[in-house]
Amino acid sequence: MHANTQVPKIIGFQRVWEVTGKPEYREASEFFWKTVALTRSFATGGHGDNEHFFPVADFAEHVLSAKGSETCCQHNMLKLTRALFLHDPQAGYADYYERTLYNGILASQDPDSGMATYFQGARPGYMKLYHTPENSFWCCTGTGMENHVKYRDSIYFHDDRALYVNLFVPSAVRWKDKDAVLTQVTAFPDAATTTLRWTLKRPAELTLKLRHPGWSRTAVVLVNGVEAVRSTSPGRYLELARGWRDGDTVELRLDIRAGVERSPAAPDIVAFTYGPLVMAGSFGREGLAPGSDIIVNERKYGEYNAAPFVPPTLAGDPDTIAEKMRAGDRPLEFTILAADRQPVRMVPYFRVAHERYATYWPIAPGLA
């Protein structure tokens, strides 16, 4: 089925449930989200090939397409995720939101021109293609203009008694009913910590819920420099219910490590991650003309810059390859060794622009 025709329908199902209370619409929305987010999504949070869903069993035939991960689909899956979270605040929804926000939405914009992608395919050695300012207008151009003012819309949530911190983004939120402001200072994802500070006109009994992400093995919370919570159970909220005073600080320390994402249908084709980030092989611009990634006709995806390109071969156990990933000189830059022992530069996918890359790797047998 055509993917981005279906996702907005399901957002509508959730809204119908909110208005009418008919349970079948809520059940349909939850089932659809679980099916797409947990079994049909790539490591980046995107899905589909050439705008369409495909059978999960055929993952290997589609994952390396130049026409995967239509950005509009990521945009609309985040709308659905937010809508579901508002009524059922599960950490799993926030984990998916974070993954897709960094690896899909943030990765979709040209940092130089501001233009946006249509597909973000995983053909090894391909590159991101962007629209023009005036001569092309795709569906993902429209959503692309919305996407980059949405980074703030799902950092914080609250109910009658608790404030949820879902994303680790420099920001501040005012809880009007409590006459409270919470300010977050962080360098995430360059550093796996965040600090929050209360501004209160008077002491207040409030509950703070901090997400312990599924990708972090442990989480430690300090209040005013003293350890308050230590968690070894990822994928939940760490609850701090206490009387707060003006200037109280909370520090969350997470455990960010390299990992591997794979589909059960194609276990030998993998993506490498670092915490919630998909790490991409960075191959440079050799053989690419300046401006060759700015295009008009989105229907020719796969034809642009299609000269033969042979990416490095990775061999051995993927988990061992991830464990041997070595830090470079800059934050979030690493190297891994190819089968020929040559180093491969790995950077967050959202920082890749104007160059060839690989996010998925067919792994050859042999020693890593």
Side-chain angles (χ1 to χ4, degrees):
M1 300 186 76
H2 184 263
N4 200 43
T5 305
Q6 308 310 317
V7 187
K9 291 179 184 178
I10 308 303
I11 297 170
F13 285 2
Q14 176 69 6
R15 184 60 180 148
V16 170
W17 169 76
E18 291 175 347
V19 172
T20 68
K22 294 181 178 180
E24 61 267 31
Y25 286 98
R26 172 72 176 272
E27 292 165 6
S29 302
E30 292 175 339
F31 175 79
F32 181 91
W33 186 91
K34 290 176 183 176
T35 301
V36 175
L38 303 183
T39 70
R40 291 180 174 270
S41 289
F42 303 121
T44 58
H47 60 264
D49 181 13
N50 196 19
E51 298 188 350
H52 288 68
F53 289 114
F54 54 83
V56 175
D58 295 341
F59 184 86
E61 300 172 25
H62 295 274
V63 62
L64 301 180
S65 170
K67 297 183 178 182
S69 294
E70 182 187 357
T71 308
C72 275
C73 293
Q74 298 165 329
H75 170 95
N76 281 315
M77 279 298 293
L78 290 190
K79 280 189 175 181
L80 177 60
T81 304
R82 175 181 166 85
L84 290 168
F85 183 90
L86 283 168
H87 297 280
D88 183 16
Q90 296 184 34
Y93 287 136
D95 281 353
Y96 174 81
Y97 199 101
E98 176 185 61
R99 177 161 60 105
T100 308
L101 186 72
Y102 279 98
N103 301 301
I105 303 306
L106 184 58
S108 71
Q109 190 172 43
D110 181 347
D112 298 315
S113 70
M115 302 298 101
T117 58
Y118 178 28
F119 295 118
Q120 295 181 50
R123 178 192 289 179
Y126 209 55
M127 63 193 304
K128 296 176 185 176
L129 302 178
Y130 306 101
H131 65 80
T132 64
E134 296 178 342
N135 298 316
S136 50
F137 195 95
W138 317 328
C139 58
C140 297
T141 310
T143 53
M145 288 191 289
E146 295 180 46
N147 280 332
H148 307 289
V149 295
K150 285 174 57 62
Y151 295 114
R152 67 184 186 131
D153 78 357
S154 292
I155 304 172
Y156 307 101
F157 294 82
H158 75 84
D159 54 26
D160 292 339
R161 69 180 190 91
L163 179 64
Y164 293 76
V165 180
N166 271 8
L167 300 175
F168 313 120
V169 177
S171 55
V173 61
R174 181 181 299 277
W175 194 351
K176 293 182 181 179
D177 292 345
K178 306 295 185 181
D179 202 12
V181 174
L182 187 68
T183 301
Q184 182 172 186
V185 178
T186 182
F188 185 87
D190 287 350
T193 63
T194 191
T195 300
L196 303 115
R197 179 183 294 273
W198 286 107
T199 300
L200 301 165
K201 292 183 178 180
R202 54 190 175 278
E205 295 285 337
L206 301 172
T207 298
L208 192 62
K209 289 191 173 184
L210 306 177
R211 180 173 63 96
H212 179 180
W215 49 261
S216 180
R217 296 183 186 182
T218 62
V220 179
V221 180
L222 289 77
V223 177
N224 295 329
V226 178
E227 185 175 314
V229 179
R230 180 175 291 268
S231 172
T232 56
S233 300
R236 66 189 182 108
Y237 287 94
L238 308 181
E239 187 168 316
L240 298 170
R242 60 171 62 205
W244 300 96
R245 296 180 177 274
D246 184 57
D248 281 348
T249 61
V250 177
E251 182 182 359
L252 175 64
R253 297 177 180 175
L254 300 171
D255 180 18
I256 191 165
R257 301 187 183 199
V260 177
E261 287 281 334
R262 51 164 68 85
S263 168
D268 295 330
I269 303 177
V270 307
F272 295 99
T273 58
Y274 189 68
L277 307 178
V278 172
M279 304 301 293
S282 171
F283 301 144
R285 293 190 49 85
E286 185 176 352
L288 300 172
S292 60
D293 52 355
I294 309 299
I295 68 168
V296 174
N297 189 349
E298 79 283 4
R299 297 181 183 276
K300 291 186 177 181
Y301 257 80
E303 298 177 30
Y304 296 102
N305 305 315
F309 180 84
V310 180
T313 299
L314 302 186
D317 176 61
D319 293 305
T320 302
I321 296 173
E323 290 172 2
K324 292 183 177 180
M325 197 160 65
R326 294 291 176 257
D329 296 331
R330 299 180 181 179
L332 299 180
E333 290 196 6
F334 300 86
T335 58
I336 57 177
L337 291 180
D340 61 2
R341 314 310 292 175
Q342 293 299 308
V344 178
R345 180 171 173 258
M346 302 289 286
V347 299
Y349 179 57
F350 73 79
R351 289 183 177 164
V352 171
H354 312 304
E355 64 175 322
R356 300 183 188 274
Y357 67 84
T359 52
Y360 271 94
W361 306 79
I363 304 296
L367 296 176

